[in-house]
Amino acid sequence: MKEELTNWRNLKILLFINIGLFVFRIIWAYTGQVSLNSEEAQYWLWSRHLALSYYSKPPLIAYLLHCSTWIFGVNVLGIRINSILIGFLLPIINYKLAMELFKSTRIAFYSTLILFSLPYYNYISMFFSTDALVVFFWSLSMLLSWRVLRGNRTRDWLLLGLCVGLGVMSKYTMILWLPAFLLVCLSEKNRIFRNRRFYLSLIVVCGVCLPMILWNLGQHGLGARHVYGLMGAYQIQFSLGEAISRMAAYVGGQLVSLSPFYVPAFYVLFKRWEQRSFVREKLETRLLAVPLYLPVNSLFVRRWNKKKPSEENTAINFLMIPMTMILTFFLFLSSRKTEINWTYFAYGAVPLLAAWSFIHFFSERRMKAAIGVTSLLIFLIICPSLADTVGLRKVYPPKIDLFHQMAGWNTMGQHVTGIGKQMNTQKLFLFSDSYQIASEMAFYTEGNPQTYCINNGRRMNQFDIWKGIEQFDNRGYDAIYVSYSPLPAGLQKAFARCELKTMLPRIYRGKEVEPPFYVYVLHGFSHYEDPDAQTY
């Protein structure tokens, strides 16, 4: 009876926190305290040009934004309501997965508390990007993958195929679910290739991804070439020092995204995973001298181990194998190029593993301390003005504030709106040499006009697929040009007269942040020749 009361109390605590965060995020988005970041603005602009897919990402995010802005209007809430809903649903999925894996309300409760405090979770719950979508579908796929491995029901296989397909339609990295799932099956000696439901699930995945596949075929694999380039495949030479530096930056970025206060829990967990897999089983072979944290070791153990592992060990392997495979893959990839957010989708296992490790090898007091300190830091990051209030401005100055890059967009849009009204002409177009500025200008300028992005030696983006400023050649058009840098000579030749209207400063937390906006008024457009854009 006492345990039931405790469980009910814990559920009420989680529900209260989840609803409280949901309401806070709604208010935060509605008041527009932080402008859209450039990726949000870019994806919103995509939603005004619905297509089978897009240059750098699959199309699901554009479809969702088209629906949400139709319901809530073209405003910050209309865009971020998607991430807010994902942030509300992820703790529910986490709790359900913990219960099915460990049959423990205690682990489910603390793992959900840990999830609430993780930096990456708070980021994807407040800013709508493809990372938010792929984290959601990966977490849901983990739950469904566990169910198909335990129950093998056709319904679960179909739902898994649908979920994975939607994940791939969100971001290409979701494709890594397949090798991760196969590694888990191999570790459990599951004869997955003899299971007809597995192939049925793959058919569903392909069916869901058909629009994206058709688009890539029509564009000669443009999306695939872009991903290939992002991985650094076009870098012919790079130094060992640069590779080590990038790998160190990758590791540091992951620690920041997961909070260093949970590192002890994972350190002990990995060591115990070694012992459970090797020392206890007394398997002596040089082949097993592979680094113990790699998932391949667990596969060797499961292949030669005659004893059936406990359900708890199976659950740990189910979580560890995909996560370590993905983190190791991106670690090697980081020697050429990587971004911190590329691995977010693999973090669904983190809160469960951290809670399990704290409960088994530490004390609840240490776990609560780690949750509390991490939550406090997250609160200061989300509300940086508090740092100024309590005298921590030097510790967390605007130049390293995560939100400083979003400063000035609204002011820039108002400024462009005012200039456009002063010019009082119908023959006017707005453009930039940066897709970030062009996207933000379209969102924050009154009337949400279509904007354009010229290629001034940059890499390719979606603007290069749409119609560009060439449609205004020699038709008497004027333009407003906004950039981070002065007007290039090649662009000056394309207009009869060029005027620097202002250098608009970007003010954030009472300080000017770099760089400012160069705002030009250009008269008499003739023709501008774009150089060839690089597809990465």
Side-chain angles (χ1 to χ4, degrees):
M1 184 65 177
K2 184 178 179 181
E3 184 178 351
E4 290 180 1
L5 289 174
T6 301
N7 294 340
W8 174 238
R9 183 200 65 185
N10 290 343
L11 278 173
K12 287 196 293 184
I13 291 173
L14 295 178
L15 186 62
F16 175 79
I17 294 173
N18 204 18
I19 292 176
L21 288 174
F22 180 78
V23 173
F24 167 78
R25 290 165 185 151
I26 289 286
I27 297 172
W28 182 79
Y30 180 75
T31 56
Q33 294 184 17
V34 176
S35 301
L36 295 184
N37 65 38
S38 57
E39 296 305 302
E40 290 176 302
Q42 176 190 207
Y43 301 142
W44 162 76
L45 201 53
W46 291 4
S47 73
R48 300 177 64 187
H49 303 268
L50 293 183
L52 295 179
S53 192
Y54 299 89
Y55 167 67
S56 60
K57 299 290 190 303
L60 184 60
I61 191 166
Y63 300 163
L64 291 175
L65 285 170
H66 184 83
C67 295
S68 65
T69 51
W70 180 75
I71 296 171
F72 294 96
V74 180
N75 51 57
V76 175
L77 178 61
I79 289 174
R80 289 181 176 158
I81 188 64
N82 299 280
S83 55
I84 293 170
L85 289 172
I86 287 173
F88 182 79
L89 293 173
L90 277 175
I92 299 173
I93 296 172
N94 179 86
Y95 189 93
K96 186 66 176 175
L97 180 59
M99 288 297 297
E100 295 198 14
L101 285 171
F102 299 109
K103 310 294 189 297
S104 168
T105 56
R106 193 172 170 218
I107 292 177
F109 172 70
Y110 281 114
S111 67
T112 308
L113 284 183
I114 290 173
L115 176 65
F116 285 135
S117 72
L118 288 173
Y120 88 91
Y121 163 76
N122 286 277
Y123 171 75
I124 65 172
S125 301
M126 302 180 76
F127 300 96
F128 189 46
S129 66
T130 53
D131 294 313
L133 285 174
V134 77
V135 167
F136 173 74
F137 287 116
W138 185 277
S139 298
L140 196 54
S141 296
M142 287 173 60
L143 178 60
L144 292 168
S145 297
W146 179 257
R147 288 179 177 177
V148 299
L149 291 175
R150 304 267 80 71
N152 197 33
R153 292 185 300 181
T154 302
R155 183 189 68 178
D156 291 334
W157 278 108
L158 292 174
L159 288 174
L160 177 60
L162 175 64
C163 190
V164 173
L166 290 173
V168 176
M169 287 286 281
S170 304
K171 195 171 184 178
Y172 292 117
T173 48
M174 186 70 191
I175 296 172
L176 292 174
W177 167 84
L178 181 58
F181 181 71
L182 293 178
L183 282 174
V184 170
C185 292
L186 184 57
S187 73
E188 292 192 10
K189 299 181 181 179
N190 187 310
R191 298 180 177 179
I192 188 67
F193 295 113
R194 297 185 182 182
N195 191 332
R196 288 178 294 180
R197 293 180 178 88
F198 170 66
Y199 298 102
L200 179 63
S201 182
L202 292 182
I203 291 173
V204 174
V205 172
C206 294
V208 173
C209 296
L210 188 59
M212 181 192 71
I213 295 171
L214 292 175
W215 184 88
N216 270 280
L217 290 175
Q219 296 289 336
H220 307 290
L222 186 59
R225 297 205 311 270
H226 166 73
V227 174
Y228 191 60
L230 281 181
M231 293 167 61
Y234 301 131
Q235 295 181 22
I236 301 174
Q237 294 180 343
F238 63 99
S239 68
L240 179 61
E242 290 177 344
I244 294 174
S245 176
R246 292 192 192 106
M247 294 175 80
Y250 165 82
V251 173
Q254 305 316 303
L255 290 176
V256 170
S257 299
L258 294 175
S259 172
F261 298 103
Y262 297 124
V263 170
F266 277 94
Y267 175 75
V268 174
L269 176 63
F270 275 98
K271 284 185 68 72
R272 296 303 175 99
W273 195 37
E274 294 176 7
Q275 294 170 3
R276 286 171 180 267
S277 298
F278 295 93
V279 177
R280 193 186 63 182
E281 305 298 345
K282 298 179 180 178
L283 295 175
E284 296 182 2
T285 171
R286 291 187 178 181
L287 186 58
L288 295 179
V290 183
L292 300 175
Y293 49 85
L294 295 178
V296 69
N297 298 291
S298 182
L299 303 185
F300 288 134
V301 170
R302 295 293 161 255
R303 187 169 183 177
W304 289 319
N305 183 12
K306 296 180 180 179
K307 296 180 181 179
K308 186 178 180 180
S310 68
E311 191 71 9
E312 189 174 65
N313 284 358
T314 301
I316 294 295
N317 279 329
F318 175 80
L319 296 171
M320 290 284 279
I321 290 173
M323 186 182 72
T324 51
M325 183 208 82
I326 291 163
L327 292 178
T328 303
F329 170 76
F330 281 102
L331 175 62
F332 286 110
L333 186 63
S334 67
S335 64
R336 288 181 173 269
K337 187 175 182 180
T338 190
E339 299 290 343
I340 293 175
N341 62 303
W342 286 4
T343 54
Y344 283 1
F345 67 98
Y347 290 162
V350 166
L352 292 93
L353 291 170
W356 187 90
S357 180
F358 269 117
I359 288 172
H360 282 77
F361 308 125
F362 295 89
S363 64
E364 284 191 16
R365 186 171 63 179
R366 291 190 65 177
M367 176 164 52
K368 291 176 181 177
I371 294 172
V373 174
T374 304
S375 299
L376 178 60
L377 290 176
I378 291 296
F379 186 67
L380 287 174
I381 290 173
I382 293 174
C383 304
S385 58
L386 291 176
D388 302 336
T389 305
V390 298
L392 295 177
R393 188 182 189 89
K394 292 183 178 180
V395 178
Y396 191 49
K399 66 179 181 180
I400 65 169
D401 185 336
L402 297 178
F403 297 149
H404 86 273
Q405 294 180 342
M406 306 174 202
W409 295 124
N410 195 16
T411 304
M412 181 268 291
Q414 293 174 359
H415 202 74
V416 170
T417 298
I419 294 175
K421 289 180 178 180
Q422 290 175 5
M423 295 177 70
N424 193 27
T425 175
Q426 295 296 319
K427 289 191 171 185
L428 177 71
F429 63 91
L430 314 179
F431 74 114
S432 176
D433 61 343
S434 160
Y435 80 85
Q436 292 96 336
I437 294 178
S439 301
E440 298 278 6
M441 186 160 43
F443 185 84
Y444 283 106
T445 300
E446 186 178 303
N448 304 119
Q450 177 62 48
T451 55
Y452 304 91
C453 180
I454 62 167
N455 176 13
N456 195 26
R458 56 165 172 77
R459 79 181 190 188
M460 188 177 183
N461 60 49
Q462 184 63 35
F463 282 96
D464 297 307
I465 297 176
W466 297 331
K467 283 185 178 181
I469 64 174
E470 70 279 353
Q471 62 187 298
F472 307 114
D473 283 2
N474 299 307
R475 294 176 57 190
Y477 270 80
D478 298 334
I480 299 175
Y481 174 76
V482 183
S483 177
Y484 288 128
S485 55
L487 192 71
L491 194 56
Q492 292 182 32
K493 297 177 182 178
F495 290 86
R497 182 163 58 91
C498 304
E499 175 189 358
L500 175 61
K501 198 70 175 179
T502 184
M503 284 182 60
L504 189 64
R506 298 166 59 222
I507 307 300
Y508 181 67
R509 289 170 60 186
K511 291 285 185 178
E512 186 174 335
V513 293
E514 295 292 336
F517 295 118
Y518 290 79
V519 183
Y520 288 87
V521 173
L522 310 175
H523 300 275
F525 176 62
S526 54
H527 173 74
Y528 177 74
E529 190 69 36
D530 278 341
D532 292 333
Q534 299 173 321
T535 57
Y536 58 90

